[in-house]
Each structure stands twice: as C-alpha cells, then as structure tokens.
Amino acid sequence: MAQSVVVQVGQCGNQVGCRFWDLALREHAAVNKNGIYDEALSSFFRNVDTRGGGDGPGIYKGKICSLKARALLIDMEEGVVNEILQGPLRDVFDSKQLITDVSGSGNNWAVGHKLYGYQYREKIVEKLRKTAEHCDCLQCFFIIHSMGGGTGSGLGTFVLNVLEDEFPEVYRFVTSVYPSGEDDVITSPYNSVLAMKELNEHADCVLPIENESLFDIVNKIHQMISSGKLGSTVKQNSLVTSSAGSARTVQEKPFDAMNNIVANLLLNLTSSARFEGSLNMDLNEISMNLVPFPRLHYLVSSLTPLYTLADVNVPSRRLDQMFSDAFSRDHQLIQADPKHSLYLACALLVRGNVQVSDLRRNIERLKPSLHFVSWNQEGWKTGLCSVPPVGHSHSLLALANNTCVKPTFTELKDRFMKLYKKKAHLHHYLHIDGMEQSCFSEAISSLSDLIEEYNELDATKGGPRTDPSRLQIAV
Amino acid sequence: MSIVTVQLGQCGNQIGHEVFNAICSDVHGTHGLCSKKENESYHDACKERFFCEEESEVPIARAVLVDMEPKVISQTLSMAARSGYWKYDDRSRFCQKQGSGNNWANGYSVHGPRHKEVIMNLVQKEAEKCDRLGGFFTIMSMAGGTGSGLGAFVTQCLRDAFPTSFILNHVIWPYGTGEVIVQNYNSVLTLSHLYQSSDALLVHENDVIHKICAQLMNIKQISFRDVNQVIAHQLGSVFQPTYTAEGGLHYSRNPLGDLMETLVPHPEFKMLGLRNIPQMPENSLAYSTFSWPGLIKHLRQMLIANAKMEEGIDWQVQPPSRLLPPLQPFPNRPLHFNTSIANLVILRGKDTHSVDLGSFRDPSLYTSWLNPRDAFNAWKTPRAFNKYEKSASLVSNSQFLLKPLDNVVGKAWNMFASKAYIHQYTKFGIEEEDFLDSFTALEQVISSYTILC
C-alpha cells in the first residue's frame, strides 16, 4: 500500500498535526484489534524495533513494536515542538524528524521563506529524503500550515517548493489555515497573499480552512449538547470534538476541539486509501476528479455529522440529513456557501454502513438545488469506505471545487491592498535578502488572476446552455 | 475448451469473483431438475470451461487477477478461499501499491507498458494450463483508470500474443452520474481502443442493473455486491454449458467462438447487450411458475422495444411492415423500434425442445443486409440454471447501446470543448489528438448503428 508523509510547519501546523497523530493512532487502535502491523497502519506509520535504543531497523511484518509517524516537524521556535516531545505523543517522533530554531519568524513571510528557507534548505531536503526512504511507495505529502504568520506561511510554502523539486512525482496536498478578518497579526494579509502565489503554482490540492468556521462549528456542537434538545441521543464523546480514549491524559486546550476538526478532515480524506471499501478512493483520484484546470485546485470541505448519534442502525432520515448538512453553509470549513455558487466538481467520501443506493438517492435529491458548470453537469465523485470513524456509524466528507472560495480570496486581496497602498510595514520585508517589491506585485497579480478565473466561471452560471456541436464524420 | 478470465481493476475483480461464485453455486447448489446423466455432463463441461483441478481438493478458477492497488485483490482471494467450493490460484495475480487514480492515461501509457511482461507471463501460464484454449474473457469497468486504461492495454497485448484466440471484453458501463467525474473521457478512450483489438464488447449498464435490484429483486439498500451478483447471474446464464443447434448431443466446446460466429458478422458492429428473464428474489421463486410462451413473448418485446427488464415494457412497439415499399432511404420505421443485427437466445430448463422461437426469426427484426437465417441462433439445455426452473437469456447485437453510447460521447465532447481535465491526461502522454481520434472512431460506430436498416 502507498504511504503518505505529513510535513507540519509552524505553530498552527504543529498543533493541528499533533491532534492528527493522536486521532490517527486512536483510529488504528480501534480498527486493528490484534496489534499486528498491517498495510493500513503502514500508510502513516513505520514499525520500528527500538530495543537496541534509538531509531532501530524498520519491521515490515508481525507485531507492532514501536510506531513512528511518517512526519517532519518544522518550527522556527521551540515552544510547540518541545511541548509535543514532552507530551504523550513523544514516542511517535524522534529527534531526527525535527527542525527547529529559537528565534521565530516574527510573523514575516520573508523571514520564513527567504531567510530560513535558504538557511535550512539542505537540512529540510536531507530529512525529507530520509523520511521518503522509509516508504516503499510514497504517494503523497500533506503539508499542514497557517497562512497568516511567518513560519507556517513562509517556510511552509518554501517546503512546498522543495517537495516539487525533489519529489515531482509525489502528490502535494496542503491544508492551509487562513486568518480571519479580525486577525491580530497586522501583516497577515501580506503573508497570506505571498503564500497564495506559492500554493497557486506548486500545490496539487489545497484544503483551505478558516478559524472562524472551526470556531462556529465547535460552538454549534456545544450548544447542541448543552441545550439538551437532542438529549440522550447525543454522545458527548464524539470523535470530532473530544479526545477521550486517545493517548493524551492532560487537560484539553481551547484550540484542541478546533484542531481536532482539521485532524479529522485528514483522517477521512485518507480513510478510503487506508481501509477496505466497496468503492475505494485513492488519494490520486482526488486531484484527478476535482481539479479540471491546474490552478483551480482549492477544495472547500465539510464534515458531517458533527456529533455521534447514539443509535447505531442508521435510520434513513438521519443518514439523508448527513448529506443535506454537508452542503449547508454552516458546515463548511471556510466561510462560504457552495449552494449558491457554482460547482466545478464535487466529491463525497463516505465511511461506514452506507451503500451505493444511499449515495445515489442523495445525489438525485440534492442535485436540483446545486449549480454545476455546464460542461460538468454530472461532476460527482464518490467513495465508499467500510470502516467508520471511531464512535460513529457513518460519516461524510464532502469536497467541493466551487467558486464559493472566491469571497475568501477577494477579502484577502482587499485587506492586502489596504496595507499595500500605504506601503505599510513593507520595509520589514524588503530588508530581507532576496525579497523585493516585485514579490509583492507578482503575488497580488497571481491572486487577482485566480479570482478572475473564478469570475469567468461564475459568469457562465445561469446563462443559456449551449452544447458545442458534435464532431461530424463523413458517412 | 477453456476460457481464461482476466479480471482488471476494482470492478473487474469484484465482478469476476461473483461470476465464479454464481457458476459454482449453480453447479453445486442444484441438481438442475434434469437427469443425473445430464447434470453430470453439464458439470463436466462447466469445469472444463472455468476451472482446473490439478492437485487440489477444490477447483481453481482459470483466472488472472490484475489491479494496481492491493486491497481488492487480497480481499477477493480470501473471500474465494473461504467459500470452500472453489478458489483462485494465489500465484495468478498481479498488484501494485498505488492505483491508477481514475486516469486512463496512467493505466494505459504508464502502468501498461511498465508491467506488460509480468502480466502477460501470468496470462501465458494460465493459457498453458488449458488443454484447449477457447479464448479470453476480460472483465473491467470503463470509468476508472486501471480497469479501463490498463484493461485496454492488456486487451491489445492479448490480441498481439494470441492473434487467433477469441477475446470477449465484458465492460461495465458506469452510472450516468456519481462514480467518477472523468468517466466519460475514460469511457471514450476505452471503447475506442477496445473496438480495435477485441472481438466483441459485452456491456452491462450499472444504472440498469441498479433498477433491476430495486424493482425486480426488491432490495432496499442496494450495495455494489447486489449489483455485481445480478451481473454475475446474467453472465452465468450465458456462459454455462448449452447445446448449440449444430452441436448435436454434446455440450458446446467453444462458447466464445460460437458466440462471435452468431453475433458478430461485421467488425463495425461489436457492441453486445444482455437481457435475462425471469429475475426475482429467491424466496419468491418457489411461488412462481412460468410458461415458455409467456417468457418468450416478454423477451421478444424487450428486444424490439429496447426494454431493460421485464417490468415496464412498451407493448405498443411493433416491427415495421415490410409490405410497404420504403419511401425514403430508410424504411418507414418508428423511432423507438430496436433494429437488430443478430440475436442469440439461450433457454435453460425443462421442455426447451418444444419452445417456438419463430417470433425471433421474423426478418423485419433485422437489418436487411444479413440473411435472417444467419442472424438468429438459439442455444438450449434441459438443465435448469441457478434455481430457476425455466430461464431465458438474450444476447443481442442491436441498437441496445446506441443511446448510452451517444450520451457518453456527447458528455465527453462537451467537457472536451472546454478543455477541462485535459492536463491530467497530457501529463501521462495522451494528447488532444488522441482524444480526437477516439471521438472520431466512436462517432463512426454511433453512425453505423444509427443507420441500421
């Protein structure tokens, strides 16, 4: 089976990554009852014999000895990574998988990308190669980072470039946390736009996430639980929000619930590649089906249901609710409304006790309320994985290539222009070696072009549909 | 003679497994409501066709399993072994670690050439196990990347390596929507390539089978397994042993050859559809009786009205009258009448000898350029199939698939005009030119089937 490597960069990237590894271990522990190192485990974990001390030889068959994450942890300060290394997940990583510095990037993309990038390039390449050598079939890199700061944004996108140079055949999926309008980092619009240019050019797929949306979702779940409206039917320990049963025992942090949602996104995204199902969906199928044009690779995601219902025998109505919710505005992981925008393509990744007839019924039911681009009226991709997430009977991850991402980008552009017109804070960037004014103008024009591509597609929405005339052949 | 089955991709492997299951349960599960001697020779003919029995307690399927990712094949092998009635040869499989990613170009241009030698060695070994090789039966879907792309490549290799053997491709037509977004591209590329190297394409449409599961089999929550089992049943009803008109007292030794001889009189026409009657849940079978005239009447109307199943047949459709001289270049026939090139009816169960099939010999059913006597054939056996006391199947080379084909080509062309997803294919060496060639080839096929008269 093919393997994936997670590269978590910066504070946000490492915190989300930490939740990911925790939940991934938990999921495999629930599925893999007999403690044998299996193919599913091998996609994210190595099995290592540590009895000789340190990083022993890899074991490919038999009992689980010591699991090591296929991961690279990068941060330009030590706090978060040190915390991980002292926490319950410490055994999953070792020092060879870390790259840290002490002084941070000061919320400056240029420091992360240009300064640290050049300074650490060799080290990054070396560690990536090492991680890749442990895989017999490396399929995908997952970068987790945030767009607003300095390290995640700057160095994260630098790593993306390195991956493209060094491993051109391996897919690059990027999970990017976008700053909200009220972000307390003043320079976050600069950092985000500079990073966007790199994502446009070098990523295969980007999964944009907004903190506001995560926050709203967490609130929504808390409300549901405390209002008692659903009363006894709601288990408080749903996989999405709680860490119960996982490796950690320390007090839950406020951001953990939010980060868990992102971690679950990655678990559900990869579940069909790891576990059995009647309609498998490998990772390389995602970009193949959802990216019709190279730059339009931003996928809006939603996860449902948000809580676990206590009854297990999937009443049909609730199952259908899961599909309806996946298209509603308040379940999206960014502030966007796919229902009122234009779909280029849509994927439904289902886990658990759901059959092809359930999928078909719901697609037929929902189709009339959605707008698809004229040349892809039937742009649905589906996957059925038989292993449900822990604590659920079924779940759905919907990925939409939809013009509803545009507002997020236009707002970002507006905030960028506000600063850029006054040349505010520019000097902090320009004094970094290799950073020039043209970096800014190129970045903003890359973003504008992207917005324009979405505009052009939006313009076709609702217009008269004229199919191109068919190829004529001489009879 | 024996048939070597080649299962390709997730779909091909899942269906192949159900086919062998269906065949085995037919042979082991019932006595077939016929004489012991009859049952034994049926049994023997079936074994020779699909299984070999060297040094093993249970029969081993004559099959080669190919997929680009390991999960499905390992599941398929273990399910077969657990059945206790038959199994696959563990060595007769090939899988890799990473799938083709729904990309036809990846399967055809990358995985195909890279793994040609290994796959063809497996096929060669399987072929050598047959005393007499009747040909190849490949099972694949045309929506994804491995079944479709690698499948098209392997079919070409089979043609090169076994120029005189028959090759029948079983092709799963994807649901109209909701499986793979680039399925119409993949389908266009697959069909146009198969048309060059295969002897015939036997097609099952997922949408049709899904409907059969819902309406005839009364299944509430339909799984892929249910769909595949119906497909397997239909395939079994064609490929289990029968007597041909010429074969006399022996079960036909050459099912693929007989099939091609009957149904594919011209290389421009090789799209075969399959209908089957009756079809119902097992627990209703005990309470149902059927008469041959009733079954035949239904099956014939399913043919001329292009009905996908015995429910909802349009009984108004009638063959055009030949008495009136044609006024136009095309005779005056109603649009929804389904014109045939050739048909094969297979009858299984008691009293098959007395069945009147005259209604299928009606010349007005067929294109005028073929002698109606050559255009129709019937195979029969008194041995009942799979718990059905009487059952009839129809394999038809007709306009059955014209509309689905026109749909697929139309949708793919629509997407092609906007150049969407093309970059994913050029990445693996399939250029716009290649697409155009495929479109041209299929428009030709559409045109040929459209102007049948």
Side-chain angles (χ1 to χ4, degrees):
Chain A
M1 190 180 289
Q3 292 94 26
S4 298
V5 169
V6 175
V7 184
Q8 42 200 67
V9 192
Q11 178 175 353
C12 172
N14 277 293
Q15 279 166 343
V16 170
C18 179
R19 303 307 314 130
F20 169 77
W21 292 109
D22 190 1
L23 295 186
L25 278 175
R26 200 171 96 124
E27 178 168 284
H28 282 287
V31 175
N32 185 329
K33 301 274 190 227
N34 49 12
I36 300 293
Y37 181 70
D38 58 9
E39 293 256 309
L41 259 174
S42 78
S43 60
F44 278 118
F45 294 94
R46 291 197 298 136
N47 190 22
V48 174
D49 188 349
T50 46
R51 280 168 303 182
D55 185 17
I59 312 167
Y60 300 103
K61 279 207 168 90
K63 279 223 166 292
I64 293 169
C65 194
S66 173
L67 292 177
K68 295 286 177 200
R70 299 189 192 276
L72 181 58
L73 285 60
I74 304 176
D75 203 356
M76 291 296 109
E77 44 188 45
E78 290 180 306
V80 178
V81 172
N82 277 346
E83 213 177 292
I84 294 173
L85 293 183
Q86 283 152 20
L89 283 170
R90 60 183 170 269
D91 293 334
V92 181
F93 309 105
D94 62 55
S95 57
K96 289 182 189 151
Q97 292 170 265
L98 314 174
I99 297 176
T100 52
D101 200 302
V102 286
S103 40
S105 303
N107 290 325
N108 187 330
W109 183 87
V111 174
H113 198 87
K114 304 281 181 186
L115 191 74
Y116 286 128
Y118 293 119
Q119 191 179 332
Y120 281 96
R121 188 178 201 282
E122 258 174 57
K123 212 167 177 186
I124 291 170
V125 171
E126 179 208 315
K127 299 208 181 234
L128 283 172
R129 286 221 181 104
K130 197 90 202 148
T131 323
E133 276 168 22
H134 291 309
C135 305
D136 59 358
C137 178
L138 175 56
Q139 183 176 34
C140 194
F141 284 106
F142 287 96
I143 294 183
I144 311 175
H145 74 145
S146 73
M147 300 289 280
T151 305
S153 162
L155 193 54
T157 52
F158 180 84
V159 172
L160 181 64
N161 287 312
V162 170
L163 290 177
E164 191 180 31
D165 291 345
E166 301 290 324
F167 307 91
E169 307 276 289
V170 183
Y171 286 87
R172 297 174 297 280
F173 279 55
V174 186
T175 306
S176 302
V177 179
Y178 281 69
S180 64
E182 296 93 55
D183 197 78
D184 47 5
V185 177
I186 295 170
T187 51
S188 76
Y190 281 161
N191 298 331
S192 305
V193 171
L194 289 162
M196 274 290 284
K197 176 171 184 278
E198 307 300 318
L199 294 184
N200 280 345
E201 291 170 5
H202 306 292
D204 286 302
C205 280
V206 178
L207 303 160
I209 311 281
E210 281 179 307
N211 269 326
E212 269 169 286
S213 301
L214 299 181
F215 189 75
D216 290 347
I217 290 171
V218 168
N219 272 346
K220 205 174 157 188
I221 296 168
H222 282 310
Q223 259 172 22
M224 268 174 186
I225 293 170
S226 56
S227 76
K229 210 160 67 181
L230 289 146
S232 56
T233 59
V234 176
K235 278 194 227 162
Q236 295 222 2
N237 292 340
S238 106
L239 182 76
V240 178
T241 53
S242 152
S243 308
S246 62
R248 51 186 297 117
T249 47
V250 290
Q251 193 64 42
E252 198 170 293
K253 290 199 210 66
F255 282 111
D256 276 358
M258 284 161 68
N259 290 338
N260 275 346
I261 296 176
V262 185
N264 266 289
L265 165 66
L266 293 176
L267 281 181
N268 288 344
L269 187 72
T270 55
S271 64
S272 189
R274 288 178 289 142
F275 302 116
E276 289 177 351
S278 62
L279 188 60
N280 290 334
M281 184 157 168
D282 209 354
L283 290 172
N284 51 8
E285 294 171 25
I286 293 171
S287 62
M288 178 70 195
N289 283 282
L290 293 176
V291 183
F293 301 107
R295 287 157 50 95
L296 303 183
H297 54 231
Y298 293 85
L299 307 179
V300 178
S301 45
S302 65
L303 289 163
T304 55
L306 294 174
Y307 50 86
T308 310
L309 294 160
D311 47 349
V312 282
N313 50 353
V314 202
S316 187
R317 194 179 58 79
R318 291 212 178 100
L319 183 65
D320 289 4
Q321 190 63 44
M322 165 176 97
F323 284 92
S324 303
D325 286 348
F327 293 86
S328 86
R329 186 189 194 108
D330 50 3
H331 286 74
Q332 308 304 318
L333 300 193
I334 66 166
Q335 304 281 308
D337 188 3
K339 246 186 172 164
H340 293 98
S341 304
L342 186 69
Y343 274 92
L344 308 187
C346 181
L348 301 176
L349 287 81
V350 187
R351 303 183 63 174
N353 180 24
V354 179
Q355 299 299 345
V356 59
S357 58
D358 302 317
L359 266 178
R360 309 210 59 74
R361 181 181 67 247
N362 280 290
I363 289 177
E364 289 306 319
R365 188 170 63 84
L366 292 161
K367 222 164 78 175
S369 61
L370 308 170
H371 311 280
F372 274 79
V373 68
S374 67
W375 41 263
N376 209 8
Q377 287 288 307
E378 274 138 8
W380 297 86
K381 164 72 186 170
T382 53
L384 289 170
C385 171
S386 54
V387 177
V390 182
H392 288 243
S393 63
H394 53 270
S395 76
L396 168 65
L397 163 62
L399 297 172
N401 193 340
N402 188 300
T403 57
C404 70
V405 286
K406 203 176 62 183
T408 300
F409 297 159
T410 32
E411 272 168 43
L412 192 58
K413 186 186 166 187
D414 292 346
R415 281 191 304 211
F416 175 96
M417 289 312 291
K418 240 183 224 167
L419 292 175
Y420 190 58
K421 267 183 201 147
K422 293 181 197 142
K423 309 251 182 278
H425 304 287
L426 268 190
H427 61 285
H428 293 300
Y429 290 79
L430 296 177
H431 77 82
I432 305 289
D433 261 356
M435 194 68 195
E436 293 173 17
Q437 186 111 21
S438 63
C439 297
F440 283 85
S441 52
E442 282 165 18
I444 196 69
S445 83
S446 169
L447 180 58
S448 300
D449 290 350
L450 182 69
I451 293 171
E452 189 46 37
E453 282 191 57
Y454 284 110
N455 276 336
E456 280 168 20
L457 286 163
D458 265 337
T460 67
K461 190 183 147 192
R465 234 192 93 191
T466 46
D467 288 347
S469 57
R470 290 271 285 269
L471 193 62
Q472 298 294 315
I473 49 150
V475 179
Chain B
M1 280 201 211
S2 309
I3 299 172
V4 171
T5 300
V6 183
Q7 313 180 167
L8 293 136
Q10 171 160 30
C11 174
N13 279 293
Q14 286 171 339
I15 290 177
H17 170 254
E18 294 297 345
V19 171
F20 286 110
N21 250 355
I23 289 171
C24 242
S25 79
D26 173 43
V27 170
H28 289 281
T30 74
H31 303 293
L33 304 166
C34 60
S35 70
K36 198 166 171 234
K37 190 172 156 241
E38 185 66 58
N39 195 40
E40 267 168 19
S41 56
Y42 180 85
H43 205 119
D44 291 344
C46 166
K47 278 280 162 59
E48 188 197 4
R49 260 182 210 186
F50 295 107
F51 298 95
C52 52
E53 258 169 313
E54 38 177 329
E55 319 141 22
S56 149
E57 323 80 80
V58 295
I60 300 170
R62 299 187 189 277
V64 177
L65 291 73
V66 180
D67 202 356
M68 284 300 117
E69 64 99 48
K71 290 201 298 283
V72 177
I73 286 193
S74 65
Q75 205 184 359
T76 306
L77 286 177
S78 72
M79 274 187 342
R82 269 200 314 256
S83 80
Y85 289 112
W86 65 282
K87 62 177 187 183
Y88 285 110
D89 182 348
D90 267 353
R91 292 158 301 181
S92 193
R93 61 153 157 181
F94 176 78
C95 59
Q96 290 289 295
K97 292 176 175 292
Q98 188 176 168
S100 305
N102 291 160
N103 193 330
W104 190 90
N106 192 7
Y108 184 83
S109 310
V110 180
H111 289 145
R114 187 179 294 162
H115 305 300
K116 179 180 172 180
E117 214 183 302
V118 194
I119 295 173
M120 289 312 286
N121 270 340
L122 290 178
V123 172
Q124 188 71 43
K125 268 192 202 129
E126 207 54 53
E128 281 164 11
K129 285 188 210 159
C130 306
D131 288 339
R132 275 166 306 174
L133 176 66
F136 297 94
F137 182 54
T138 70
I139 310 179
M140 60 207 251
S141 122
M142 60 180 193
T146 302
S148 73
L150 185 66
F153 182 85
V154 167
T155 306
Q156 235 164 272
C157 297
L158 287 174
R159 177 48 76 224
D160 294 344
F162 302 89
T164 55
S165 293
F166 292 105
I167 304 174
L168 176 65
N169 287 78
H170 181 246
V171 178
I172 294 296
W173 207 278
Y175 287 101
T177 174
E179 268 185 86
V180 172
I181 291 177
V182 289
Q183 65 185 28
N184 296 315
Y185 278 166
N186 291 338
S187 300
V188 163
L189 293 163
T190 306
L191 290 172
S192 61
H193 280 76
L194 288 184
Y195 231 79
Q196 286 171 25
S197 36
S198 176
D199 289 307
L201 282 60
L202 181 59
V203 173
H204 268 115
E205 300 165 75
N206 268 345
D207 278 313
V208 172
I209 306 300
H210 197 92
K211 246 188 209 157
I212 291 177
C213 286
Q215 295 180 16
L216 299 184
M217 309 301 282
N218 284 327
I219 302 169
K220 293 281 171 297
Q221 204 190 15
I222 301 160
S223 66
F224 271 106
R225 186 136 192 245
D226 299 320
V227 171
N228 294 343
Q229 280 173 350
V230 170
I231 293 173
H233 173 82
Q234 294 202 347
L235 288 173
S237 79
V238 173
F239 291 107
Q240 282 291 54
T242 53
Y243 299 101
T244 57
E246 298 82 33
L249 298 171
H250 295 285
Y251 273 113
S252 153
R253 309 297 303 262
N254 188 6
L256 290 182
D258 292 344
L259 190 89
M260 305 300 175
E261 193 191 324
T262 304
L263 290 170
V264 192
H266 190 289
E268 182 63 19
F269 301 94
K270 39 174 93 158
M271 303 277 279
L272 309 181
L274 180 44
R275 301 288 187 268
N276 171 279
I277 184 173
Q279 199 138 29
M280 57 172 57
E282 206 179 307
N283 49 16
S284 312
L285 262 182
Y287 308 102
S288 315
T289 58
F290 303 97
S291 77
W292 281 119
L295 292 176
I296 297 304
K297 193 175 164 211
H298 274 77
L299 194 61
R300 178 183 187 264
Q301 195 63 23
M302 282 162 74
L303 168 67
I304 64 175
N306 192 0
K308 318 280 187 185
M309 57 172 140
E310 58 200 88
E311 242 176 63
I313 300 175
D314 180 357
W315 289 94
Q316 302 300 316
V317 181
Q318 289 302 324
S321 163
R322 296 256 171 179
L323 298 174
L324 302 166
L327 300 169
Q328 304 138 355
F330 308 145
N332 186 18
R333 66 181 61 201
L335 271 177
H336 38 276
F337 172 75
N338 176 54
T339 309
S340 300
I341 290 179
N343 291 312
L344 166 67
V345 167
I346 298 150
L347 305 177
R348 300 174 184 276
K350 62 179 180 192
D351 306 328
T352 46
H353 54 273
S354 61
V355 181
D356 176 18
L357 288 169
S359 61
F360 278 95
R361 296 182 211 276
D362 179 355
S364 60
L365 263 53
Y366 298 93
T367 168
S368 54
W369 50 261
L370 204 67
N371 187 338
R373 251 183 318 165
D374 301 325
F376 178 74
N377 230 312
W379 297 351
K380 297 174 187 177
T381 172
R383 207 276 186 186
F385 175 63
N386 225 347
K387 305 197 174 79
Y388 287 82
E389 180 199 42
K390 300 186 181 97
S391 65
S393 310
L394 164 74
V395 189
S396 174
N397 187 348
S398 64
Q399 293 171 319
F400 268 175
L401 292 154
L402 181 54
K403 207 167 159 227
L405 179 62
D406 191 55
N407 270 335
V408 162
V409 173
K411 284 180 199 164
W413 182 251
N414 228 345
M415 196 179 258
F416 186 70
S418 73
K419 301 279 177 277
Y421 295 101
I422 300 295
H423 72 282
Q424 309 268 21
Y425 291 83
T426 46
K427 211 158 61 185
F428 295 110
I430 296 294
E431 306 293 334
E432 279 183 39
E433 279 296 303
D434 300 309
F435 275 92
L436 279 173
D437 289 347
S438 291
F439 278 116
T440 313
L442 292 186
E443 292 286 6
Q444 182 66 55
V445 174
I446 291 172
S447 149
S448 301
Y449 271 103
T450 307
I451 58 175
L452 272 189
C453 59

